[in-house]
Amino acid sequence: MAKQKGFSLIELMVAITISLLLMAGVVQMFLSSKTVFTTQQGLSRLQETGRLAVEFMARDVRQAGFFGPAYATSWNMISTLNNKNQFGNDYSPETAMRVFNGDSLPAGLVLNPAPNSDTQVVAVYTASDMSVPVVQQNDSGNVYVELTTPAGQDCPSGICEGDILVAADFEKMWIFQVTGVSENGGMVTLAHGAGSDPGNQITEWGGNPDYPTQDVNPGAEVFRLKTSVFYIADGPNNIPTLYQKVGREPSFPLLVGVENIFYNVGVDTDADRVANNYVAPEAVANWENAVSLQLEALVMTPGDNAASDKQTYTFAGEEVTADDNRVRKVFRTTVAIRNKLL
């Protein structure tokens, strides 16, 4: 009768030990690969977020101060609004752009969620990309434009009651709030009565031959005015996020992971439409002289394990050491306000 044979206890223990060593190696390779993948994914997202943050802000800043065919100056811009130098948010139309401290916003600029402490807020003022042609000379209470049906718009010609508008030709522009919108035979009548928020201080203008500067004739265009605000607030999962607010619409999270933004303003002090120097926003004496903007966006990876050590970086002219293991990168650019360079 043949004897039964098998592994001895020592052989079994050796086999288990070798298996554990092999398994540990496999797990280590898996963890290393996962760490590399997570790091690369975080860096890719950081790059994408930073590039988009700079691009979105630069695009709106570049278009600041566009009010149609007329170049905006203090002598050819007439505002009929209750506060002549304000509409929607606190600003003078000639400035095109303002930068505020997030801890001390003007009364007319309400942001929800509120900006994070010690951050800056940039507000850009411009006409929308779409315009509607004037089809008939205005009278004392109305401006008449062509009836169009833009895609996705519920209001005639994309203009709704309460909108702030600019009617402009190559010589002048009128800023007013539309208080009534009605259709009639392929034409839209835009009334500019008293209204509210902010309402019109001058409710009757146009149609008087003694005051041709009040005429809005065929050939002029009507634009909706847009205020675009960028700022930093805590977003999903309390991660710092770049928010945007357009007009009177609620703020919305634009890009998660933008930790901070910083601006220096290019100021033209000799009227040659070129920045003579760049100063902090609080040092700008006259915002009409702002012709460009230097911006920095500090962006961080979403995960707290992207770096093996705490990173040191330079932001807003200061060297900072992070208090976590996220990777951070500063994206910088300088943007000229095109309409200030004409």
Side-chain angles (χ1 to χ4, degrees), residues 1-5:
M1 182 175 176
K3 294 183 178 180
Q4 292 183 341
K5 294 183 178 181

Side-chain angles (χ1 to χ4, degrees), residues 134 136-138 143 167-168 172 174 205 214-218 220 222:
V134 173
Q136 178 179 310
Q137 181 177 341
N138 62 321
V143 174
K172 61 186 180 302
W174 282 80
W205 50 273
Q214 298 183 7
D215 289 343
V216 181
N217 299 311
V222 171

Side-chain angles (χ1 to χ4, degrees), residues 105-151:
L105 296 176
L109 184 55
V110 179
L111 300 175
N112 184 27
N116 287 350
S117 181
D118 296 324
T119 60
Q120 294 177 325
V121 176
V122 62
V124 177
Y125 314 101
T126 183
S128 62
D129 297 334
M130 302 297 294
S131 66
V132 184
V134 173
V135 296
Q136 178 179 310
Q137 181 177 341
N138 62 321
D139 55 38
S140 61
N142 305 285
V143 174
Y144 302 96
V145 299
E146 179 181 314
L147 174 61
T148 61
T149 54

Side-chain angles (χ1 to χ4, degrees), residues 8-320:
S8 68
L9 181 60
I10 294 176
E11 290 174 323
L12 190 60
M13 292 178 64
V14 169
I16 292 174
T17 302
I18 294 174
S19 299
L20 288 174
L21 290 174
L22 291 173
M23 184 61 69
V26 171
V27 171
Q28 183 62 39
M29 288 180 61
F30 173 77
L31 293 176
S32 298
S33 298
K34 183 179 179 181
T35 300
V36 170
F37 173 77
T38 301
T39 300
Q40 292 300 322
Q41 186 182 48
L43 293 175
S44 297
R45 185 171 296 181
L46 180 148
Q47 286 288 133
E48 182 181 31
T49 299
R51 181 180 61 82
L52 290 175
V54 169
E55 175 61 26
F56 288 152
M57 289 187 286
R59 180 187 59 190
D60 280 17
V61 170
R62 197 175 292 118
Q63 295 298 323
F66 169 70
F67 293 108
Y71 177 69
T73 65
S74 57
W75 59 266
N76 73 344
M77 179 179 288
I78 303 114
S79 172
T80 73
L81 302 175
N82 271 322
N83 188 331
K84 289 188 176 183
N85 288 329
Q86 295 181 14
F87 50 88
N89 294 319
D90 180 32
Y91 83 105
S92 169
E94 297 90 341
T95 63
M97 174 192 70
R98 290 285 299 273
V99 178
F100 305 102
N101 187 313
D103 296 323
S104 56
L105 296 176
L109 184 55
V110 179
L111 300 175
N112 184 27
N116 287 350
S117 181
D118 296 324
T119 60
Q120 294 177 325
V121 176
V122 62
V124 177
Y125 314 101
T126 183
S128 62
D129 297 334
M130 302 297 294
S131 66
V132 184
V134 173
V135 296
Q136 178 179 310
Q137 181 177 341
N138 62 321
D139 55 38
S140 61
N142 305 285
V143 174
Y144 302 96
V145 299
E146 179 181 314
L147 174 61
T148 61
T149 54
Q153 292 287 349
D154 297 327
C155 302
S157 298
I159 298 174
C160 304
E161 183 174 332
D163 285 346
I164 307 299
L165 305 179
V166 55
D169 55 27
F170 287 97
E171 297 179 347
K172 61 186 180 302
M173 62 189 72
W174 282 80
I175 296 172
F176 63 97
Q177 184 175 36
V178 59
T179 56
V181 181
S182 59
E183 300 179 30
N184 183 16
M187 182 171 65
V188 180
T189 301
L190 307 175
H192 44 77
S196 61
D197 188 28
N200 296 301
Q201 182 181 55
I202 304 172
T203 58
E204 294 187 4
W205 50 273
N208 188 334
D210 295 330
Y211 298 98
T213 57
Q214 298 183 7
D215 289 343
V216 181
N217 299 311
E221 298 177 78
V222 171
F223 300 81
R224 291 176 62 186
L225 286 175
K226 180 181 75 172
T227 303
S228 185
V229 182
F230 295 94
Y231 68 100
I232 301 297
D234 287 338
N237 300 319
N238 292 322
I239 297 176
T241 299
L242 177 64
Y243 275 81
Q244 185 178 13
K245 177 178 171 61
V246 178
R248 301 186 180 191
E249 298 297 321
S251 301
F252 59 92
L254 189 62
L255 291 166
V256 178
V258 183
E259 188 172 12
N260 208 342
I261 46 180
F262 175 78
Y263 306 101
N264 274 323
V265 183
V267 179
D268 172 20
T269 58
D270 55 9
D272 64 353
R273 299 176 184 173
V274 177
N276 299 96
N277 58 322
Y278 285 85
V279 299
E282 57 271 19
V284 178
N286 184 353
W287 280 93
E288 290 186 35
N289 296 331
V291 295
S292 57
L293 186 71
Q294 289 179 339
L295 67 89
E296 296 183 8
L298 175 63
V299 184
M300 66 182 187
T301 54
D304 191 11
N305 57 350
S308 56
D309 298 313
K310 291 179 172 55
Q311 183 186 13
T312 298
Y313 57 91
T314 301
F315 176 72
E318 297 183 3
E319 191 173 272
V320 182

